[in-house]
Amino acid sequence: MNAPWHWFIAVIAVASIIGCLWLLFSNARGAPGESTTGHVWDDDLREYNNPLPRWWLNMFILTVVFGVGYLVYYPGLGAFTGKSGWTQEKQLAERMAVVKAKRQAVYATLGDRDVAALAKDPAALSLGREVFLNNCAGCHGADAHGARGFPNLADKDWLYGGTPEAIVASISNGRQGQMPFFNATLDPKVADDLIDTVKHWSDPKFSPERRENAMKTFAITCAACHGADGKGNPYIGAPNLTDNIWLHGGSREKIRETILFGRKSSMPAHKDILSADDIRVVSSYVYSLSQNP
């Protein structure tokens, strides 16, 4: 906190205390029944301006004394840290140390088993689900079924591979997905054929002529990432176009948006957020979801 803000806050705090004391003592003067406020009701009902009762005044004074003591002991006067040296960062660090020690004690019971082995341990899965709900559910949902733009983690469709090692790598290092836009390079007629071919890739009833016309462009423009057979490439996160699973929507309009205007997806790295044990148990939990029938 810089000097101007320090003095601004400190002056306001001290002035508030002085103002409270002035208000209390100014209302403690006079004897009962000596003066009125001037308000009269029903001809003879008058509001007296009596001082505060002594016991009530003493209670207010005690609260002011408490406030002064608080500002001496704890931070409150700008940059003054107080005699106790308390800070919220220090308190958080102390509490996090306690939590970390407890979690390490629990993780010690899991041993050095790998992700695949932990995926069969109910205790490890329970820990992994806690980590998932606290760090992953915001994007992938509490049930891990994802949403538009956020992959479903409970099926067997994986952009970057669904092995334990691939899942650990995705969580630890994050992923950056990029689909380039082709709005400026595709002829509108060819674009329509390509969009419909992708939409109806596995439909044998789709027009052979339109498919053949689209596949010429696909081989030049798309096959480098998605493969000549359209089954994708997990090394670069290129999705499989032959199934009916769509990250950004499978309607004709959504596919058109993807091809013409591109997509960009980002999975943040968690290696600096989660401990190695956290990543191990949450990876086992995510891996277990895709192992269910």
Side-chain angles (χ1 to χ4, degrees), residues 101-121:
K102 291 181 179 179
R103 293 187 72 85
Q104 290 300 326
V106 175
Y107 285 142
T109 64
L110 302 178
D112 57 355
R113 288 176 291 170
D114 60 20
V115 170
L118 292 177
K120 301 176 182 178
D121 185 336

Side-chain angles (χ1 to χ4, degrees), residues 66-271:
F66 173 82
V68 172
Y70 183 92
L71 291 176
V72 171
Y73 196 71
Y74 290 104
L77 290 174
F80 178 64
T81 59
K83 295 296 184 180
S84 67
W86 179 91
T87 64
Q88 59 185 1
E89 292 84 1
K90 184 187 297 184
Q91 185 183 60
L92 176 62
E94 292 172 352
R95 293 180 178 179
M96 289 300 296
V98 173
V99 172
K100 185 177 181 180
K102 291 181 179 179
R103 293 187 72 85
Q104 290 300 326
V106 175
Y107 285 142
T109 64
L110 302 178
D112 57 355
R113 288 176 291 170
D114 60 20
V115 170
L118 292 177
K120 301 176 182 178
D121 185 336
L125 294 181
S126 178
L127 289 172
R129 186 172 186 273
E130 290 181 9
V131 177
F132 181 89
L133 292 176
N134 289 327
N135 297 274
C136 316
C139 292
H140 296 284
D143 59 359
H145 285 182
R148 181 172 294 171
F150 301 99
N152 181 354
L153 304 179
D155 60 13
K156 296 182 181 296
D157 186 81
W158 297 90
L159 289 175
Y160 295 93
T163 64
E165 295 76 15
I167 295 173
V168 170
S170 295
I171 295 174
S172 300
N173 304 317
R175 300 290 187 181
Q176 302 295 324
Q178 179 73 47
M179 164 73 181
F181 64 91
F182 294 97
N183 187 39
T185 59
L186 285 179
D187 177 85
K189 177 61 173 65
V190 175
D192 287 339
D193 289 342
L194 183 60
I195 291 165
D196 288 331
T197 297
V198 172
K199 169 67 176 173
H200 303 284
W201 190 284
S202 301
D203 184 0
K205 297 181 181 180
F206 182 68
S207 169
E209 293 79 14
R210 295 187 66 192
R211 186 189 299 274
E212 181 180 359
N213 184 43
M215 291 306 293
K216 294 176 183 178
T217 301
F218 185 90
I220 299 172
T221 306
C222 315
C225 293
H226 296 281
D229 56 1
K231 292 187 179 298
N233 185 346
Y235 290 103
I236 59 174
N240 183 353
L241 305 179
T242 66
D243 56 18
N244 197 32
I245 299 175
W246 303 92
L247 181 59
H248 296 281
S251 67
R252 189 181 189 279
E253 184 57 35
K254 291 301 178 183
I255 295 174
R256 181 183 183 84
E257 288 180 9
T258 300
I259 293 176
L260 296 185
F261 304 107
R263 299 287 186 183
K264 186 174 183 179
S265 300
S266 177
M267 161 73 180
H270 284 72
K271 61 183 178 182

Side-chain angles (χ1 to χ4, degrees), residues 12-88:
I12 289 179
V14 172
S16 298
I17 293 174
I18 295 174
C20 287
L21 290 173
W22 172 83
L23 183 63
L24 287 173
F25 286 110
S26 66
N27 283 278
R29 297 174 182 176
E34 286 187 352
S35 64
T36 67
T37 62
H39 300 159
V40 181
W41 295 273
D42 295 333
D43 297 328
D44 60 351
L45 294 178
R46 290 174 172 80
E47 181 181 3
Y48 283 97
N49 188 20
N50 291 330
L52 291 173
R54 182 59 58 181
W55 65 270
W56 199 356
L57 176 65
N58 292 337
M59 287 185 61
F60 278 125
I61 293 175
L62 286 175
T63 61
V64 173
V65 172
F66 173 82
V68 172
Y70 183 92
L71 291 176
V72 171
Y73 196 71
Y74 290 104
L77 290 174
F80 178 64
T81 59
K83 295 296 184 180
S84 67
W86 179 91
T87 64
Q88 59 185 1

